[in-house]
Amino acid sequence: MLRNVQSIDETPKSQSTIDRIHSHTTYAALDLGTNSCRMLIAQPMGSGFQVIDSFSRTVSLGAGLEFTGRLSEASMKRTIRALKVCNKKLERNNVTSLRFVATEACRRARNAGEFVEKIRAETGLSLNIIGPEEEARLAVMSCAPLVSEDTEQLLVVDIGGGSTELVWIDLQSVPKGSRQESLMSLHVDVETHVASEGRPTVVDWISVPSGVATLRDQFQDVDDDKAQYALMSCFFEENLENFVPYTYAPERAKFQIVGTSGTITTLAASYLNLERYDRNQVDGLNISSEIVDNIISTYLEMGPKGRRLDPRIGEERHTLIMPGCAILHTLMRLWPTDILSVADRGLRESLLYSQMLGEGELHIAQAS
């Protein structure tokens, strides 16, 4: 199995190492989602990159959006405060290339244009609101190194705060040694699902306008915990009816789901019983459908109070974990698999890769 073919070094750096690093080209990727604002600052290193600084903060940009169709003044102020911190880090690290993207909350908000101007005026940063197709492409790119050589049918899942991207890819005609490279350069285009020898085929892709924050908000008036979970699961499945593989049953042993989200990494941390989160143990971990079922059942038995007190879930995520589980559990019920690969990587990583590859700073390592 290809695991971490493109290295991401996140170990703390000594001051002398940082001084040496800063003598080279420095890239940054900033992902503004419905719930979180996250940034990585890095430099190319072989076929991967070395992280030299990072930022992550819950800003709840999409709070109330489900009901008003607008970003609230409070949400925008919280986000701009976070972006000012990011801007200081960009200046301190002499960043020369930056991609700053926003996703579902800004795609849906009627006042997104006003927000973009506020950001530019108050921070000097230029925000690019990307479409769901680009978001899906970046999800595939970030997860490519975790695809098994034995996989013939692949489902890439990116569960966000405001939307969930699914990309179904047929890999049967792709040589094992070139799968990562071909997935890294894949274009997600619903109009060109034409199989070609040696290339992956996008069977279908979909951006469901339901993520962990939006599902939580939609069903917050349901008091019974298990009933709320069941309703979220049913609602999400209804949104999959137009997804071409909805009624497709692949051969379980040759089907793989690669998932990137806080929900999936939290499930992995619970499976490993980690007292303190460790990315090196979580990223690339394979867990089965049965294990996922057992963990989710445990979460449901805990109830809201138990989940809030569980250190593997945490105070910040306890209201979001069950909406995320409802999404993932629905997918794994429809398409059971022996391989759910956990990806602790996402838009920031793929944005960095795309910048570095575009400027010829990286080469993609191929499997032997």
Side-chain angles (χ1 to χ4, degrees), residues 22-23 39 47 49 63 105 122 133 161 254 271 277-278 289 304 306 312 317 344 346:
H22 286 179
S23 66
M39 181 178 70
S47 60
F49 56 77
E122 297 189 33
E133 182 175 325
K254 296 181 180 180
Y271 168 62
Y277 187 81
D278 182 353
S289 299
R312 299 165 300 180
R317 183 162 294 279
D344 186 352

Side-chain angles (χ1 to χ4, degrees), residues 12 29 79 81 104 123 129 134 174 186 325 327 356:
T79 302
R81 283 198 298 269
E104 185 67 12
T123 71
I129 303 173
E134 174 69 0
V174 183
L186 185 70
C325 285
I327 293 170
M356 294 175 186

Side-chain angles (χ1 to χ4, degrees), residues 1-261:
M1 177 179 177
L2 295 174
R3 289 188 60 173
N4 297 318
V5 177
Q6 290 170 308
S7 59
I8 304 173
D9 182 0
E10 294 188 350
T11 55
K13 309 298 179 292
S14 66
Q15 187 59 50
S16 60
T17 301
I18 291 172
D19 291 342
R20 176 178 54 79
I21 286 172
H22 286 179
S23 66
H24 302 290
T25 304
T26 306
Y27 297 81
L30 201 159
D31 170 21
L32 178 58
T34 302
N35 194 57
S36 303
C37 174
R38 300 185 298 171
M39 181 178 70
L40 286 179
I41 298 175
Q43 290 194 320
M45 183 180 68
S47 60
F49 56 77
Q50 184 177 52
V51 174
I52 58 176
D53 205 349
S54 63
F55 176 85
S56 180
R57 181 175 297 177
T58 298
V59 294
S60 301
L61 178 62
L65 177 63
E66 192 68 27
F67 309 106
T68 66
R70 297 177 60 85
L71 303 174
S72 71
E73 286 297 324
S75 296
M76 290 190 287
K77 286 180 180 178
R78 280 195 303 271
T79 302
I80 288 174
R81 283 198 298 269
L83 292 175
K84 287 179 178 179
V85 176
C86 291
N87 208 17
K88 290 179 181 179
K89 286 178 174 282
L90 294 171
E91 293 172 356
R92 185 164 63 244
N93 288 283
N94 299 314
V95 170
T96 52
S97 182
L98 165 68
R99 280 202 68 186
F100 175 10
V101 304
T103 53
E104 185 67 12
C106 288
R107 287 197 292 260
R108 294 175 63 183
R110 293 196 301 270
N111 59 337
E114 173 189 333
F115 181 49
V116 169
E117 290 306 315
K118 280 180 177 287
I119 291 173
R120 184 179 290 111
E122 297 189 33
T123 71
L125 296 171
S126 296
L127 171 63
N128 178 26
I129 303 173
I130 61 173
E133 182 175 325
E134 174 69 0
E135 189 172 359
R137 184 189 73 82
L138 291 169
V140 172
M141 188 178 190
S142 68
C143 293
L146 303 180
V147 177
S148 167
E149 289 186 349
D150 298 322
T151 296
E152 292 186 356
Q153 301 295 326
L154 171 68
L155 177 63
V156 175
V157 179
D158 181 5
I159 305 173
S163 67
T164 298
E165 278 63 48
L166 308 177
V167 187
W168 191 291
I169 303 169
D170 187 331
L171 293 169
Q172 293 182 80
S173 67
V174 183
K176 293 182 177 181
S178 62
R179 286 186 174 181
Q180 182 188 345
E181 181 180 15
S182 63
L183 288 170
M184 289 284 286
S185 59
L186 185 70
H187 290 279
V188 178
D189 187 347
V190 294
E191 301 299 328
T192 57
H193 297 165
V194 180
S196 60
E197 189 64 31
R199 297 288 299 169
T201 302
V202 177
V203 178
D204 199 9
W205 74 277
I206 188 173
S207 180
V208 180
S210 292
V212 295
T214 49
L215 273 183
R216 176 197 60 193
D217 293 346
Q218 281 177 294
F219 293 94
Q220 64 183 353
D221 58 341
V222 180
D223 293 330
D224 184 272
D225 190 49
K226 292 182 180 179
Q228 183 189 62
Y229 178 79
L231 287 169
M232 289 189 294
S233 180
C234 291
F235 178 81
F236 186 78
E237 184 175 349
E238 288 174 0
N239 282 271
L240 300 179
E241 290 181 353
N242 295 324
F243 188 45
V244 169
Y246 178 65
T247 58
Y248 180 56
E251 184 179 344
R252 182 167 174 148
K254 296 181 180 180
F255 171 60
Q256 179 181 6
I257 298 177
V258 181
T260 172
S261 77

